[in-house]
Amino acid sequence: MSDLHGQGGRAGAAPLAPGIETVGPDAPQFQVAAAHPRGMERRVALLFIVGLLGFAGFGAAYWQNSTNYFLGLSLGVGFLGLGAGMVAWGKYLMPRGPFSESRHPLGPSVEEKEKFVEDFASRGKVALQRRGFLVKLLSLASAVFGIVAAFPLLRSLGPLPKKLFYTTAWRRGSYLTTAYGRRVHVDDIDVGGVLTVFPGDDIGGALSQTLLIRVGQPGENVVTEPSRANWGPDGYLAFSKVCTHAGCPVGLYQRLTQQLLCPCHQSLFDIGPGRPAVPVFGPAPRPLPQLPLRVDSRGYLRARAGYDEPVGPGFWERGGTT
Amino acid sequence: MIDAVYGWLDDRLNISGSGRKLVNKIFPDHWSFMLGEIALYSFVILLATGVFLSLYFIPSSKQIVYTGSYVPLRGLHVSEAYASTIALSFNVRAGLLMRQMHHWSANIFLGAIVVHMCRVFFTSGFRRPRELNWIIGVNLLILAIFNGFLGYSLPDDLISGTGIRISFSILESIPFVGSYLATFLFGGQFPGSAIIPRFFIIHVLILPAIIAGLLGAHLALIVRNKHTQFRGRGATEKNVVGAPLWPTFFAKTNGFLFLVAAVTAILGAAVQINPIWLYGPYVPYHVSYAVQPDWYMGWLDGALRIMPSWEIHLPGHMVPNAFFPAILLPGVTFTLLMAWPFVEQRITGDRLEHHLLERPRDRPHHTALGAATLSFYFVLFGASATDVLANYLSVSLNFVLWFFRIAIFVVPLVIYPMTLKICRELQHTPGGGKTKRHNIVLRSPEGGYSTVVSQARPGDEPPVLEPVPLDGPELVGAMATGADRRSSGPLGAAATGQGGGVAGASRARGVFRIPRSYR
Ligand code: FES
């Protein structure tokens, strides 16, 4: 404040830094950039009027509950007029410059630094170093607070992952049920057909979603690998629909090649006799888990057991190759 | 009245003291310095439109039967988040415009950040003393990517829901803590019930607050360190040459804010973005084809696609496939980015302060490295469209996949020497990049080529004006005359006559009027 005051009151040019020439107020740097300021002024005025009309148009469009098109366009024209006008004003109707200011050293001077270190360190010595025991106790108390604060902040957020990642809602005897709640009968699907199924108590479940595929004729027992001798009765196979890569639903069954395609990153899985959904293309690293099936006495498809491995993508604790 | 308020505040806050420095602050003039401004202003637009959206959006994944005004969806089970997004698009006046502007400005925000960062990299603007600001900038990029992804996920439509599913799997893939992180963030195994409200609060409060804070620090450091500048027009390491904040830069930059808003509004009006009513609600067992995230996530999606199907198996533990492309790659990317100023200091041994920018051609290896690195990410980005490309070009997916798996290594290796060569050629082009004069290529009778620059004609190059220092108290006032050329030339002279010397000019009719009480 005193700065400005002093400046207003001072008359005559004080000596400038050596090497810098005095530039008078009539120097070209102080003149506006436009060759014809009047004309530019008119242009800027026109732009501001365009802006004003744009905003008025937006008001009208809003009032009339007009379409998105008119609302956005009028708003855009408003901003355009205003913005272009201001830029032109700044560029052509203000002192053209160039002006400069000098840079100053960014770091402290040696003296400043010494003083600060002295103040800080000497006081610190008196207050802290002689009371080492208190410092330690304070740190300990703060650390304990830090740790216990993490409990409500983190632990309350969700359950521990343990079992969640290993089990699905599929149990021994679960009925294969459609998204609409209908139990799947052995006659429901033709050869080459697919259906997304769930256990009856988890319809629509993101983890239990399973793809039922009919690859063979009634009576045909489909064996994908020797250890799964009776998992595919009456030409039916069921695989987890959760991609082992990043969890997308493996939704597309290509009947001719008997392959399942994951649309997210194009992993392909071979399906059929001797083909236990092994990935043959793309980034998926593991086969899709297979759900063991049986047909009950009334002809309904049911799970022989739940999945024997975690479904979906891998995680640290999963381990092993299966 | 204004005088009185100003005086009252000034007595208490000393506005004049700090204010004078501020109004005289010099901002160098170059088109590439506007890139950061675009980012800043899209953030402003994001905040404004985002506040509007938050008044109508319901952050809940509770399933309801849709009964709203969009007929094709009636009777479907959708989440409240999805239904409210459709309602605010169709039933709230200007709602669709605000939503589309919000989404567009998010894309512009990220695009501007990336291009701005390239500008700083290629002109070596990150060198001492600006390493800290470079690091802040990289963190802003990371946060912007995260927040963009969260916002994109909120409407709970089929495409973004698939993205959330993938992000759960990516979290899950982190060694040691992955499964805990995933269940804690989602409130259980996927899909959990907490994710929409949690994403919402992170998207509208936590991340914007951090971004705003870092942006403040970013700008404060620019003020503290003063802006970098290109050579020429009298620019040296010891000064800043350009236009003062008040009024020239103020007018231009605010005008620019409105121009960015104009582009966003016109895009929001005319170019449809993310029509979630066409995608349908998220159903965990549905998936649509050609699933692609917003462009700034494209490189990660591409990396997920071209990664070979490897996993690391350890006794009782494993490192899943998604870890490498989706955690390790971005981790390494951003760590290297942040470390780059220091890595470069090691290589060049140059630990001096630099305020003058380099032209990219003058540091050929630096530029070539930058270009090669960029091309790596461009290839990854391209790889996020493997399926679309295979369809479009009618080639096998297998071919496209292997093309990208090879290109990711070959392209950077080709780009590096190419850029090096171009830089060196440009260095030898006389006067190139400085003037608009013609280069004449001559062919000698022996068949050799050489280049000369055409003679300057009068008017080709306007006389270069010496910069006028504004930090001496004497000259500040002279700005006030701001004489119009031709029309009112004598005004400056009149001021001089009246006050005697330059200082008198500050008493003339000015751009900044000194309150009466201070005269
Ligand atoms: S999620 Fe299936 S291929 Fe990536």
Side-chain angles (χ1 to χ4, degrees), chain A residues 178-215:
Chain A
T178 69
Y180 302 100
R182 216 168 55 84
R183 288 175 178 174
V184 182
H185 194 265
V186 72
D187 299 329
D188 280 357
I189 309 178
D190 296 328
V191 176
V194 289
L195 191 64
T196 302
V197 292
F198 305 89
D201 55 356
D202 189 30
I203 290 174
L207 280 185
S208 55
Q209 54 175 308
T210 294
L211 201 65
L212 180 67
I213 312 159
R214 186 154 209 188
V215 297

mmCIF file of all heavy atoms in Angstrom, chain A residues 178-215:
data_model
loop_
_atom_site.group_PDB
_atom_site.id
_atom_site.type_symbol
_atom_site.label_atom_id
_atom_site.label_comp_id
_atom_site.label_asym_id
_atom_site.label_seq_id
_atom_site.Cartn_x
_atom_site.Cartn_y
_atom_site.Cartn_z
ATOM 1 N N THR A 178 -33.323 -70.891 -15.189
ATOM 2 C CA THR A 178 -33.084 -69.786 -16.122
ATOM 3 C C THR A 178 -33.160 -68.456 -15.383
ATOM 4 O O THR A 178 -33.571 -68.396 -14.221
ATOM 5 C CB THR A 178 -34.123 -69.745 -17.251
ATOM 6 O OG1 THR A 178 -35.376 -69.373 -16.668
ATOM 7 C CG2 THR A 178 -34.232 -71.077 -17.953
ATOM 8 N N ALA A 179 -32.805 -67.384 -16.090
ATOM 9 C CA ALA A 179 -32.863 -66.049 -15.497
ATOM 10 C C ALA A 179 -34.284 -65.681 -15.112
ATOM 11 O O ALA A 179 -34.512 -64.789 -14.299
ATOM 12 C CB ALA A 179 -32.294 -65.025 -16.470
ATOM 13 N N TYR A 180 -35.288 -66.374 -15.714
ATOM 14 C CA TYR A 180 -36.685 -66.067 -15.409
ATOM 15 C C TYR A 180 -37.247 -67.002 -14.361
ATOM 16 O O TYR A 180 -38.448 -67.005 -14.093
ATOM 17 C CB TYR A 180 -37.532 -66.111 -16.683
ATOM 18 C CG TYR A 180 -37.003 -65.152 -17.715
ATOM 19 C CD1 TYR A 180 -36.215 -65.595 -18.759
ATOM 20 C CD2 TYR A 180 -37.276 -63.787 -17.613
ATOM 21 C CE1 TYR A 180 -35.705 -64.710 -19.691
ATOM 22 C CE2 TYR A 180 -36.767 -62.895 -18.533
ATOM 23 C CZ TYR A 180 -35.983 -63.358 -19.573
ATOM 24 O OH TYR A 180 -35.478 -62.467 -20.474
ATOM 25 N N GLY A 181 -36.363 -67.861 -13.798
ATOM 26 C CA GLY A 181 -36.794 -68.689 -12.681
ATOM 27 C C GLY A 181 -37.352 -70.052 -13.075
ATOM 28 O O GLY A 181 -37.911 -70.757 -12.250
ATOM 29 N N ARG A 182 -37.238 -70.444 -14.340
ATOM 30 C CA ARG A 182 -37.782 -71.728 -14.760
ATOM 31 C C ARG A 182 -36.684 -72.790 -14.702
ATOM 32 O O ARG A 182 -35.564 -72.568 -15.134
ATOM 33 C CB ARG A 182 -38.301 -71.617 -16.199
ATOM 34 C CG ARG A 182 -39.551 -72.430 -16.480
ATOM 35 C CD ARG A 182 -40.134 -72.026 -17.822
ATOM 36 N NE ARG A 182 -39.150 -72.139 -18.893
ATOM 37 C CZ ARG A 182 -38.884 -73.282 -19.530
ATOM 38 N NH1 ARG A 182 -39.533 -74.397 -19.209
ATOM 39 N NH2 ARG A 182 -37.983 -73.320 -20.478
ATOM 40 N N ARG A 183 -37.017 -73.958 -14.149
ATOM 41 C CA ARG A 183 -36.039 -75.033 -14.086
ATOM 42 C C ARG A 183 -35.844 -75.636 -15.473
ATOM 43 O O ARG A 183 -36.803 -75.796 -16.219
ATOM 44 C CB ARG A 183 -36.507 -76.122 -13.121
ATOM 45 C CG ARG A 183 -36.423 -75.650 -11.694
ATOM 46 C CD ARG A 183 -36.996 -76.655 -10.744
ATOM 47 N NE ARG A 183 -36.846 -76.152 -9.375
ATOM 48 C CZ ARG A 183 -37.348 -76.751 -8.314
ATOM 49 N NH1 ARG A 183 -38.031 -77.881 -8.452
ATOM 50 N NH2 ARG A 183 -37.170 -76.239 -7.117
ATOM 51 N N VAL A 184 -34.602 -75.972 -15.778
ATOM 52 C CA VAL A 184 -34.313 -76.449 -17.124
ATOM 53 C C VAL A 184 -34.529 -77.959 -17.195
ATOM 54 O O VAL A 184 -34.014 -78.722 -16.375
ATOM 55 C CB VAL A 184 -32.872 -76.111 -17.534
ATOM 56 C CG1 VAL A 184 -32.606 -76.570 -18.958
ATOM 57 C CG2 VAL A 184 -32.629 -74.616 -17.389
ATOM 58 N N HIS A 185 -35.325 -78.363 -18.176
ATOM 59 C CA HIS A 185 -35.621 -79.772 -18.405
ATOM 60 C C HIS A 185 -34.704 -80.291 -19.503
ATOM 61 O O HIS A 185 -34.251 -79.523 -20.352
ATOM 62 C CB HIS A 185 -37.088 -79.931 -18.802
ATOM 63 C CG HIS A 185 -37.566 -81.338 -18.725
ATOM 64 N ND1 HIS A 185 -37.569 -82.171 -19.810
ATOM 65 C CD2 HIS A 185 -38.053 -82.052 -17.690
ATOM 66 C CE1 HIS A 185 -38.028 -83.341 -19.457
ATOM 67 N NE2 HIS A 185 -38.340 -83.316 -18.162
ATOM 68 N N VAL A 186 -34.462 -81.576 -19.484
ATOM 69 C CA VAL A 186 -33.503 -82.163 -20.423
ATOM 70 C C VAL A 186 -33.929 -81.974 -21.889
ATOM 71 O O VAL A 186 -33.117 -81.961 -22.798
ATOM 72 C CB VAL A 186 -33.254 -83.641 -20.064
ATOM 73 C CG1 VAL A 186 -34.475 -84.481 -20.420
ATOM 74 C CG2 VAL A 186 -32.005 -84.172 -20.733
ATOM 75 N N ASP A 187 -35.232 -81.759 -22.118
ATOM 76 C CA ASP A 187 -35.698 -81.601 -23.501
ATOM 77 C C ASP A 187 -35.713 -80.138 -23.955
ATOM 78 O O ASP A 187 -36.133 -79.845 -25.072
ATOM 79 C CB ASP A 187 -37.134 -82.139 -23.628
ATOM 80 C CG ASP A 187 -37.192 -83.612 -23.277
ATOM 81 O OD1 ASP A 187 -36.173 -84.291 -23.525
ATOM 82 O OD2 ASP A 187 -38.221 -84.050 -22.754
ATOM 83 N N ASP A 188 -35.284 -79.231 -23.079
ATOM 84 C CA ASP A 188 -35.480 -77.797 -23.374
ATOM 85 C C ASP A 188 -34.608 -77.257 -24.495
ATOM 86 O O ASP A 188 -34.981 -76.315 -25.181
ATOM 87 C CB ASP A 188 -35.232 -76.955 -22.116
ATOM 88 C CG ASP A 188 -36.441 -76.982 -21.186
ATOM 89 O OD1 ASP A 188 -37.448 -77.609 -21.574
ATOM 90 O OD2 ASP A 188 -36.374 -76.390 -20.097
ATOM 91 N N ILE A 189 -33.420 -77.794 -24.647
ATOM 92 C CA ILE A 189 -32.480 -77.194 -25.597
ATOM 93 C C ILE A 189 -32.146 -78.186 -26.699
ATOM 94 O O ILE A 189 -31.927 -79.368 -26.439
ATOM 95 C CB ILE A 189 -31.178 -76.771 -24.891
ATOM 96 C CG1 ILE A 189 -31.499 -75.912 -23.661
ATOM 97 C CG2 ILE A 189 -30.292 -75.972 -25.836
ATOM 98 C CD1 ILE A 189 -30.276 -75.506 -22.899
ATOM 99 N N ASP A 190 -32.085 -77.677 -27.942
ATOM 100 C CA ASP A 190 -31.662 -78.515 -29.065
ATOM 101 C C ASP A 190 -30.149 -78.561 -29.124
ATOM 102 O O ASP A 190 -29.462 -77.736 -28.516
ATOM 103 C CB ASP A 190 -32.203 -77.933 -30.380
ATOM 104 C CG ASP A 190 -33.716 -77.978 -30.403
ATOM 105 O OD1 ASP A 190 -34.280 -78.920 -29.802
ATOM 106 O OD2 ASP A 190 -34.327 -77.064 -30.987
ATOM 107 N N VAL A 191 -29.626 -79.471 -29.897
ATOM 108 C CA VAL A 191 -28.181 -79.561 -30.067
ATOM 109 C C VAL A 191 -27.671 -78.263 -30.689
ATOM 110 O O VAL A 191 -28.251 -77.744 -31.650
ATOM 111 C CB VAL A 191 -27.815 -80.766 -30.970
ATOM 112 C CG1 VAL A 191 -26.307 -80.800 -31.219
ATOM 113 C CG2 VAL A 191 -28.275 -82.051 -30.323
ATOM 114 N N GLY A 192 -26.599 -77.720 -30.093
ATOM 115 C CA GLY A 192 -26.063 -76.446 -30.578
ATOM 116 C C GLY A 192 -26.628 -75.250 -29.829
ATOM 117 O O GLY A 192 -26.158 -74.126 -30.006
ATOM 118 N N GLY A 193 -27.625 -75.489 -28.970
ATOM 119 C CA GLY A 193 -28.242 -74.385 -28.241
ATOM 120 C C GLY A 193 -27.494 -74.074 -26.949
ATOM 121 O O GLY A 193 -26.794 -74.917 -26.409
ATOM 122 N N VAL A 194 -27.629 -72.826 -26.479
ATOM 123 C CA VAL A 194 -27.013 -72.440 -25.208
ATOM 124 C C VAL A 194 -28.034 -71.711 -24.344
ATOM 125 O O VAL A 194 -29.006 -71.160 -24.848
ATOM 126 C CB VAL A 194 -25.801 -71.489 -25.395
ATOM 127 C CG1 VAL A 194 -24.620 -72.214 -25.976
ATOM 128 C CG2 VAL A 194 -26.175 -70.298 -26.228
ATOM 129 N N LEU A 195 -27.802 -71.719 -23.053
ATOM 130 C CA LEU A 195 -28.711 -71.059 -22.118
ATOM 131 C C LEU A 195 -27.901 -70.654 -20.891
ATOM 132 O O LEU A 195 -27.053 -71.421 -20.420
ATOM 133 C CB LEU A 195 -29.809 -72.042 -21.709
ATOM 134 C CG LEU A 195 -30.992 -71.479 -20.937
ATOM 135 C CD1 LEU A 195 -31.765 -70.487 -21.798
ATOM 136 C CD2 LEU A 195 -31.911 -72.611 -20.506
ATOM 137 N N THR A 196 -28.131 -69.442 -20.390
ATOM 138 C CA THR A 196 -27.475 -69.029 -19.153
ATOM 139 C C THR A 196 -28.323 -69.502 -17.980
ATOM 140 O O THR A 196 -29.524 -69.252 -17.948
ATOM 141 C CB THR A 196 -27.333 -67.510 -19.097
ATOM 142 O OG1 THR A 196 -26.605 -67.092 -20.235
ATOM 143 C CG2 THR A 196 -26.596 -67.075 -17.848
ATOM 144 N N VAL A 197 -27.690 -70.225 -17.044
ATOM 145 C CA VAL A 197 -28.455 -70.779 -15.923
ATOM 146 C C VAL A 197 -27.832 -70.378 -14.588
ATOM 147 O O VAL A 197 -26.664 -69.990 -14.521
ATOM 148 C CB VAL A 197 -28.525 -72.314 -16.004
ATOM 149 C CG1 VAL A 197 -29.358 -72.746 -17.189
ATOM 150 C CG2 VAL A 197 -27.136 -72.916 -16.048
ATOM 151 N N PHE A 198 -28.657 -70.480 -13.550
ATOM 152 C CA PHE A 198 -28.250 -70.121 -12.195
ATOM 153 C C PHE A 198 -28.785 -71.179 -11.245
ATOM 154 O O PHE A 198 -29.726 -71.888 -11.577
ATOM 155 C CB PHE A 198 -28.853 -68.767 -11.798
ATOM 156 C CG PHE A 198 -28.521 -67.666 -12.762
ATOM 157 C CD1 PHE A 198 -29.337 -67.410 -13.864
ATOM 158 C CD2 PHE A 198 -27.393 -66.892 -12.590
ATOM 159 C CE1 PHE A 198 -29.038 -66.412 -14.756
ATOM 160 C CE2 PHE A 198 -27.079 -65.886 -13.482
ATOM 161 C CZ PHE A 198 -27.903 -65.636 -14.567
ATOM 162 N N PRO A 199 -28.214 -71.258 -10.046
ATOM 163 C CA PRO A 199 -28.871 -72.093 -9.040
ATOM 164 C C PRO A 199 -30.152 -71.383 -8.606
ATOM 165 O O PRO A 199 -30.209 -70.148 -8.638
ATOM 166 C CB PRO A 199 -27.852 -72.157 -7.897
ATOM 167 C CG PRO A 199 -26.945 -70.999 -8.097
ATOM 168 C CD PRO A 199 -26.969 -70.658 -9.551
ATOM 169 N N GLY A 200 -31.154 -72.131 -8.204
ATOM 170 C CA GLY A 200 -32.459 -71.552 -7.911
ATOM 171 C C GLY A 200 -32.420 -70.427 -6.886
ATOM 172 O O GLY A 200 -33.227 -69.508 -6.937
ATOM 173 N N ASP A 201 -31.456 -70.482 -5.958
ATOM 174 C CA ASP A 201 -31.443 -69.457 -4.918
ATOM 175 C C ASP A 201 -30.524 -68.281 -5.241
ATOM 176 O O ASP A 201 -30.267 -67.454 -4.396
ATOM 177 C CB ASP A 201 -31.030 -70.094 -3.575
ATOM 178 C CG ASP A 201 -29.697 -70.825 -3.690
ATOM 179 O OD1 ASP A 201 -29.158 -70.891 -4.815
ATOM 180 O OD2 ASP A 201 -29.199 -71.327 -2.663
ATOM 181 N N ASP A 202 -30.011 -68.219 -6.452
ATOM 182 C CA ASP A 202 -29.138 -67.093 -6.799
ATOM 183 C C ASP A 202 -29.360 -66.698 -8.257
ATOM 184 O O ASP A 202 -28.422 -66.587 -9.048
ATOM 185 C CB ASP A 202 -27.672 -67.478 -6.558
ATOM 186 C CG ASP A 202 -26.737 -66.283 -6.702
ATOM 187 O OD1 ASP A 202 -27.189 -65.152 -6.421
ATOM 188 O OD2 ASP A 202 -25.580 -66.470 -7.116
ATOM 189 N N ILE A 203 -30.634 -66.458 -8.586
ATOM 190 C CA ILE A 203 -30.939 -66.135 -9.971
ATOM 191 C C ILE A 203 -30.372 -64.771 -10.334
ATOM 192 O O ILE A 203 -30.547 -63.797 -9.608
ATOM 193 C CB ILE A 203 -32.458 -66.193 -10.197
ATOM 194 C CG1 ILE A 203 -32.880 -67.659 -10.127
ATOM 195 C CG2 ILE A 203 -32.836 -65.599 -11.542
ATOM 196 C CD1 ILE A 203 -34.340 -67.883 -10.190
ATOM 197 N N GLY A 204 -29.664 -64.717 -11.434
ATOM 198 C CA GLY A 204 -29.026 -63.471 -11.857
ATOM 199 C C GLY A 204 -27.681 -63.245 -11.205
ATOM 200 O O GLY A 204 -27.060 -62.205 -11.422
ATOM 201 N N GLY A 205 -27.207 -64.211 -10.411
ATOM 202 C CA GLY A 205 -25.961 -64.036 -9.670
ATOM 203 C C GLY A 205 -24.765 -63.824 -10.584
ATOM 204 O O GLY A 205 -24.564 -64.557 -11.549
ATOM 205 N N ALA A 206 -23.959 -62.819 -10.235
ATOM 206 C CA ALA A 206 -22.826 -62.473 -11.087
ATOM 207 C C ALA A 206 -21.765 -63.561 -11.074
ATOM 208 O O ALA A 206 -21.051 -63.736 -12.057
ATOM 209 C CB ALA A 206 -22.225 -61.147 -10.630
ATOM 210 N N LEU A 207 -21.656 -64.281 -9.951
ATOM 211 C CA LEU A 207 -20.607 -65.295 -9.863
ATOM 212 C C LEU A 207 -21.090 -66.673 -10.266
ATOM 213 O O LEU A 207 -20.333 -67.480 -10.784
ATOM 214 C CB LEU A 207 -20.101 -65.387 -8.427
ATOM 215 C CG LEU A 207 -19.111 -64.330 -8.021
ATOM 216 C CD1 LEU A 207 -18.634 -64.627 -6.634
ATOM 217 C CD2 LEU A 207 -17.954 -64.287 -8.994
ATOM 218 N N SER A 208 -22.358 -66.946 -9.988
ATOM 219 C CA SER A 208 -22.844 -68.295 -10.246
ATOM 220 C C SER A 208 -23.332 -68.454 -11.681
ATOM 221 O O SER A 208 -23.722 -69.540 -12.087
ATOM 222 C CB SER A 208 -23.947 -68.660 -9.257
ATOM 223 O OG SER A 208 -24.964 -67.700 -9.303
ATOM 224 N N GLN A 209 -23.313 -67.385 -12.461
ATOM 225 C CA GLN A 209 -23.791 -67.494 -13.841
ATOM 226 C C GLN A 209 -23.004 -68.589 -14.573
ATOM 227 O O GLN A 209 -21.790 -68.659 -14.509
ATOM 228 C CB GLN A 209 -23.673 -66.166 -14.573
ATOM 229 C CG GLN A 209 -22.298 -65.553 -14.545
ATOM 230 C CD GLN A 209 -22.237 -64.303 -15.389
ATOM 231 O OE1 GLN A 209 -22.606 -64.302 -16.551
ATOM 232 N NE2 GLN A 209 -21.787 -63.207 -14.796
ATOM 233 N N THR A 210 -23.764 -69.428 -15.228
ATOM 234 C CA THR A 210 -23.185 -70.618 -15.851
ATOM 235 C C THR A 210 -23.796 -70.776 -17.233
ATOM 236 O O THR A 210 -24.986 -70.498 -17.428
ATOM 237 C CB THR A 210 -23.496 -71.850 -14.976
ATOM 238 O OG1 THR A 210 -22.796 -71.697 -13.737
ATOM 239 C CG2 THR A 210 -23.070 -73.136 -15.647
ATOM 240 N N LEU A 211 -22.967 -71.190 -18.174
ATOM 241 C CA LEU A 211 -23.484 -71.377 -19.521
ATOM 242 C C LEU A 211 -23.727 -72.856 -19.769
ATOM 243 O O LEU A 211 -22.820 -73.679 -19.640
ATOM 244 C CB LEU A 211 -22.489 -70.818 -20.541
ATOM 245 C CG LEU A 211 -23.118 -70.487 -21.891
ATOM 246 C CD1 LEU A 211 -24.116 -69.347 -21.737
ATOM 247 C CD2 LEU A 211 -22.040 -70.111 -22.897
ATOM 248 N N LEU A 212 -24.980 -73.171 -20.081
ATOM 249 C CA LEU A 212 -25.346 -74.545 -20.386
ATOM 250 C C LEU A 212 -25.344 -74.698 -21.904
ATOM 251 O O LEU A 212 -25.984 -73.924 -22.612
ATOM 252 C CB LEU A 212 -26.740 -74.835 -19.808
ATOM 253 C CG LEU A 212 -27.287 -76.229 -20.031
ATOM 254 C CD1 LEU A 212 -26.465 -77.253 -19.270
ATOM 255 C CD2 LEU A 212 -28.747 -76.288 -19.610
ATOM 256 N N ILE A 213 -24.605 -75.683 -22.400
ATOM 257 C CA ILE A 213 -24.465 -75.855 -23.845
ATOM 258 C C ILE A 213 -24.836 -77.290 -24.189
ATOM 259 O O ILE A 213 -24.406 -78.231 -23.518
ATOM 260 C CB ILE A 213 -23.013 -75.609 -24.306
ATOM 261 C CG1 ILE A 213 -22.484 -74.312 -23.692
ATOM 262 C CG2 ILE A 213 -22.911 -75.556 -25.812
ATOM 263 C CD1 ILE A 213 -20.985 -74.243 -23.671
ATOM 264 N N ARG A 214 -25.632 -77.444 -25.219
ATOM 265 C CA ARG A 214 -25.914 -78.821 -25.634
ATOM 266 C C ARG A 214 -25.047 -79.140 -26.836
ATOM 267 O O ARG A 214 -25.238 -78.573 -27.908
ATOM 268 C CB ARG A 214 -27.390 -79.001 -25.968
ATOM 269 C CG ARG A 214 -27.701 -80.447 -26.243
ATOM 270 C CD ARG A 214 -29.121 -80.795 -25.971
ATOM 271 N NE ARG A 214 -29.242 -82.203 -25.579
ATOM 272 C CZ ARG A 214 -30.405 -82.801 -25.439
ATOM 273 N NH1 ARG A 214 -31.529 -82.145 -25.612
ATOM 274 N NH2 ARG A 214 -30.431 -84.065 -25.089
ATOM 275 N N VAL A 215 -24.062 -79.999 -26.636
ATOM 276 C CA VAL A 215 -23.163 -80.319 -27.737
ATOM 277 C C VAL A 215 -23.457 -81.696 -28.332
ATOM 278 O O VAL A 215 -22.942 -82.037 -29.398
ATOM 279 C CB VAL A 215 -21.678 -80.283 -27.290
ATOM 280 C CG1 VAL A 215 -21.292 -78.885 -26.852
ATOM 281 C CG2 VAL A 215 -21.424 -81.280 -26.186
#
